[in-house]
Amino acid sequence: MECKKGLDWNMRVEIHNDVSELGKALACKIVDQMLAAQSERRRYLLGCPGGRSPKPVYAELATMAINFDLDLSNVTLVMMDDYLEGNAPPFRYVDINAHYSCRRFAIVEIAAVLNRGKPPAKQIQPENIWYPDPENCEFYDERIADAGGIDLFILASGATDGHIAFNPPGSPRCCKSRIVRLAQQTRSDNLKTFPDFTSLSEVPKFGVTIGVGSIAKHSKSAAMVVFGADKKLAFQEISQASVYSPDWPASIITECSDAILYADVVASDRSLK
């Protein structure tokens, strides 16, 4: 593992030999924070994206949850976004059983994975899985703030346009949780994220998302996960950024507190000795 400071800002860059090492490193940081929150008898808020990038982290967290017999009842999952049905208001969530539903992902791919083998009293509770609400977007930021902020936000970057959650290129630095029209490139990227889509026409055109400004304002710490050959451009754009650029929304990580960019040698195009 290689770890270094960014050029003149607070973001650190960690480069790992492979995805497994990367997942373990971030999972260890999260577990340490979870245990600290538990000792302080307070809620622990974990910001979570759906899709491919965070899966190695969730898998390592699940292993540690079993190995260390972690009590997850104080954990709240703060999800980033979800697709919406319709092309005009009033919008509504897509069916929760749809293969691309982010609410389904949260329940099946995160909570169920972390809760596996645990008694109900030690599980993440259903009411502790939060989503932005298309009928009251502004409430999401208020809810997070009232809870004391997100302890750690796991972040991911669009491979070709730098979208973060559903915030498209051009998103202003101050934007809050809201409904957005999905960028064409974001919709194309999501054909890989959700391979059961058979064509671009099946990908919804609108989504509800946490805002770029919301991420920076309400995160006590943040971790951007970038790995694989298709994320080389993302690594280059983010690692070289010093401030937020609307052209690459994932660059907001540079303005988050206690920010770390986690990458593997493939995405970073570096070999470790």
Side-chain angles (χ1 to χ4, degrees), residues 26 30 46-49 54 57-58 61 80 152-156 222-223 225:
L26 180 48
I30 294 170
L46 179 65
C48 297
V57 182
Y58 300 147
L61 273 176
M80 300 188 82
L152 184 140
F153 214 136
I154 303 171
L155 302 172
V225 176

Side-chain angles (χ1 to χ4, degrees), residues 85-96:
E85 291 183 347
N87 292 317
F91 293 102
R92 59 190 181 279
Y93 289 128
V94 296
D95 188 331
I96 196 170

Side-chain angles (χ1 to χ4, degrees), residues 1-271:
M1 179 188 79
E2 177 184 293
C3 183
K4 66 177 186 176
K5 282 280 188 181
L7 298 178
D8 57 358
W9 62 99
N10 292 325
M11 184 183 71
R12 287 186 292 146
V13 180
E14 283 191 13
I15 299 174
H16 296 270
N17 286 298
D18 52 39
V19 175
S20 176
E21 182 182 282
L22 184 160
K24 287 178 181 176
L26 180 48
C28 281
K29 179 179 177 70
I30 294 170
V31 169
D32 286 344
Q33 290 185 351
M34 284 182 176
L35 292 174
Q38 197 171 70
S39 68
E40 296 166 8
R41 299 184 179 276
R42 62 176 177 84
R43 183 190 314 225
Y44 179 82
L45 269 64
L46 179 65
C48 297
R52 295 167 292 160
S53 294
K55 279 189 173 182
V57 182
Y58 300 147
E60 292 295 340
L61 273 176
T63 298
M64 293 179 185
I66 292 172
N67 291 344
F68 299 115
D69 190 26
L70 297 180
D71 182 348
L72 303 178
S73 60
N74 71 318
V75 174
T76 294
L77 305 181
V78 182
M79 303 306 297
M80 300 188 82
D81 50 35
D82 205 356
Y83 290 104
L84 299 177
E85 291 183 347
N87 292 317
F91 293 102
R92 59 190 181 279
Y93 289 128
V94 296
D95 188 331
I96 196 170
N97 295 311
H99 68 90
Y100 52 91
S101 165
C102 297
R103 290 175 298 140
R104 183 206 64 81
F105 188 96
I107 295 167
V108 176
E109 303 287 350
I110 307 178
V113 170
L114 298 183
N115 286 340
R116 191 171 295 139
K118 292 195 169 297
K122 288 189 173 184
Q123 294 182 0
I124 298 170
Q125 303 303 306
E127 64 270 20
N128 290 337
I129 307 176
W130 296 357
Y131 317 93
D133 184 353
E135 296 184 2
N136 189 0
C137 300
E138 298 81 3
F139 173 69
Y140 206 47
D141 289 30
E142 295 172 10
R143 187 180 195 186
I144 293 168
D146 289 345
I150 298 168
D151 290 273
L152 184 140
F153 214 136
I154 303 171
L155 302 172
S157 170
T160 55
D161 68 353
H163 69 267
I164 188 167
F166 281 154
N167 294 282
S171 295
R173 166 67 175 77
C174 60
C175 66
K176 298 181 180 180
S177 300
R178 67 206 190 285
I179 292 172
V180 296
R181 177 185 284 274
L182 303 183
Q184 188 82 347
Q185 191 57 58
T186 300
R187 294 174 67 228
S188 296
D189 285 351
N190 284 338
L191 289 173
K192 294 181 180 179
T193 302
F194 300 99
D196 286 347
F197 282 130
T198 60
S199 69
L200 185 62
S201 64
E202 294 182 0
V203 183
K205 295 181 179 179
F206 288 86
V208 60
T209 183
I210 191 168
V212 168
S214 309
I215 294 170
K217 181 177 181 179
H218 299 301
S219 299
K220 300 175 185 176
S221 60
M224 178 69 68
V225 176
V226 176
F227 62 84
D230 66 335
K231 293 296 179 79
K232 286 185 177 182
L233 177 59
F235 177 84
Q236 179 180 338
E237 292 285 345
I238 297 168
S239 63
Q240 294 180 0
S242 58
V243 295
Y244 175 68
S245 169
D247 294 335
W248 199 272
S251 61
I252 193 62
I253 182 72
T254 62
E255 299 192 21
C256 292
S257 300
D258 187 19
I260 304 177
L261 170 59
Y262 289 83
D264 70 345
V265 293
V266 179
S268 66
D269 211 18
R270 302 175 188 175
S271 60

